[in-house]
Amino acid sequence: MIFTKLTLNNFKSYGHEVIKFGDGITVIVGENGAGKSTILEAISFVLFKQHTAKKIDDLVRNGSDENMYVDLEFVSNGKEYKIHREKTKSGLKSTLLKKTTSKGQFIPSCAGDKEVANEIQSILDIDSDLFLNAIYIRQGEIAELVDKTSSEKKQLIGKLLGLDSLEKAWKNLQPIISNYEKTQSELKGKLFSSEELKEEYDHKKALLGSLKEKGLDLEKQIEEVKEMKAEKQNEKTNMEREKEIFDNFNNNLDAEKKRLESLENDKRTLQDNLDEIKKAEEQIARLEKFVKKLPLYLDFEKSVTSIQQLELDKQKIEKDLDSIATQEELLVTKKDGYNKFLAADEQIEKLNNQKINLEKELATLTQLEKDKKQLLKSIEGNRNEIERFFSVTKDNLYDNGLSQDILTDVDNFTQLEEVTDNFSEEVSNKVKDLSLEIISKNEEIVKFKQAIETAQKPLDELGDVENKCPVCQSDINPQKKNELIDSYNNEIKINEKSIEENKENIRLLNKNKDSFEEKYNRLQELSKDIIGYKNKFDNLEKDLVRLNEIDDGLESKEYTNTKLGELILDISKEKVGREENKEDYDAYIKSKGALDVLSSKTELQYKLNQVNNEVDVHVKNIKLAIDQDPHLSGDMSTADLQARITDLKNKEEEFN
């Protein structure tokens, strides 16, 4: 597995960082707390979701509102892969992507914690424990390994490689192995008693043969019993069939007896009915002559009633015809006034629409005047604020060290933004240069400390030896020994002095760096303010354009006022003319409404003719009825006619 690219976004101390790994060995160098271990932890997190934090939320950069994510691109067995792990509000999102060709795009291969973990383990052929123990050594463990004794080194390497867990597993297996060996011994012991088991088997086999013979005898007896049972079952079936036939004969005999009794009762009933029929026939013959007269009387009554109703209808039709003639005459006399009223009303509506449009236009112009006042006030305030900011910003840039010659030529926001960005970049480069110089001084301190350790070790050994050089093991005399001791002490003092000088330089460099960082931060804030005021300046120019548009629109206000006054006078004149014709209009509408309610003149005349014809038909029917029955006459009262009809209906009911 070869790493090619690592991307960190809001991971611990990193905002957004992209690290590309070149060919060969990559060395990460930096001060304590610079973020070297964070890079390794990010690799461990993205590969196996392993980290040193208590929870994933602790990996998110403080004060960040964006999602935290880590991307790792690597090559394994000639294939390119990419792992993406992202912390969102809903949880952790994991995705493994793969390139199908060397110049192609990464395509999602699988998603989800479990699926991605299984796929990575399959690709790398290692799990998280092996990675952490055998490949990834945490901060401080190498230094700890160097200072240990041989036995301690063995123990620490075993811990790093996970050998201690294997030893623990071996100890846990010891009781299982002992139990297995014990069980194996017991089984071997049981094999010695196989002869006794064989004798017991033969005895039980002979007993089984005897039981089988007894079983065969019992099966024969069972078959005989089954045959006897079948014979008895057939006899039972035959007896049940004969009993059923006997029961049927008895039931049929009882039914015939009941049927004969029923026929005798029916005979007596029919004779009684026959006697009643003879009496009814005699009564029908007596009532029939009265029943035949009932339709004649009903027709006579219907014709009399119809003539009375038709006379009422005739009177109503004649009244409606008179009303129609009156309303038609009114329509003719009032039509001219009606038309004049409509024309005036239409003209008023047209003028009112024009008046409404002018009033709306005037209201718009009035609002424009208000907008103009507010816009003037806003323009004045924004212009003063922008000019004040522009001046103050140039002063701030000068106070922070920007040349007055450069600031003299700046007269707009674009130039101001450009010089501020350039100045900010210069300060940023200065901070980077100071950081590199501090790193260089720290590296020199490390070298001086190593030189001190290199001199201190033989110096300590010189105190323990008599006449041997601790470095080359050659013979030395006391004078030479003292010279060596002075030389080593002098070298240590020189290096210690150099360390102190470098520390003082680092302190001054850090102080200078802090000053430039503060200046850079101030310039960054100033750049943001410049962008904001640049937008305000653009809005100010738009407001000036809007002000010109408002002035153009307000030029038509006087004309609109004059036109509106003329329209109001015209509407007043039209209303006077309309009122003069209001009475004719109302009378015309009333007459037209009355004609709409009344039927048409032709239809009423047709109905009148129909009524006269129906009266003639009913008169003929009355004359025919009087000719057929001498008891009927045109002078017969309604009460006598009703009494006669009621008597005939009673006789008809009796007849029916």
Side-chain angles (χ1 to χ4, degrees), residues 57-96:
D57 290 338
D58 295 339
L59 298 176
V60 181
R61 188 167 179 250
N62 291 333
S64 173
D65 295 331
E66 298 180 4
N67 290 346
M68 179 274 286
Y69 67 83
V70 180
D71 291 343
L72 176 64
E73 297 179 20
F74 65 92
V75 178
S76 179
N77 295 325
K79 297 179 180 179
E80 296 183 53
Y81 299 92
K82 179 180 178 180
I83 309 172
H84 175 82
R85 292 196 191 267
E86 182 176 359
K87 173 67 175 68
T88 64
K89 293 180 180 179
S90 58
L92 185 64
K93 176 183 176 184
S94 303
T95 309
L96 177 65

Side-chain angles (χ1 to χ4, degrees), residues 247-293:
D247 291 339
N248 286 336
F249 277 123
N250 276 337
N251 292 335
N252 291 336
L253 181 59
D254 293 338
E256 288 297 327
K257 287 180 180 179
K258 291 179 180 178
R259 184 168 174 272
L260 183 59
E261 291 176 0
S262 176
L263 288 173
E264 289 292 337
N265 292 331
D266 291 344
K267 180 181 178 183
R268 287 192 295 271
T269 303
L270 289 172
Q271 186 61 48
D272 294 339
N273 291 339
L274 186 59
D275 294 339
E276 291 180 4
I277 288 171
K278 287 179 180 181
K279 292 179 183 178
E281 286 176 345
E282 293 173 358
Q283 189 71 4
I284 286 172
R286 182 180 66 81
L287 295 171
E288 188 172 5
K289 59 182 180 179
F290 296 103
V291 172
K292 288 180 179 179
K293 290 183 178 183

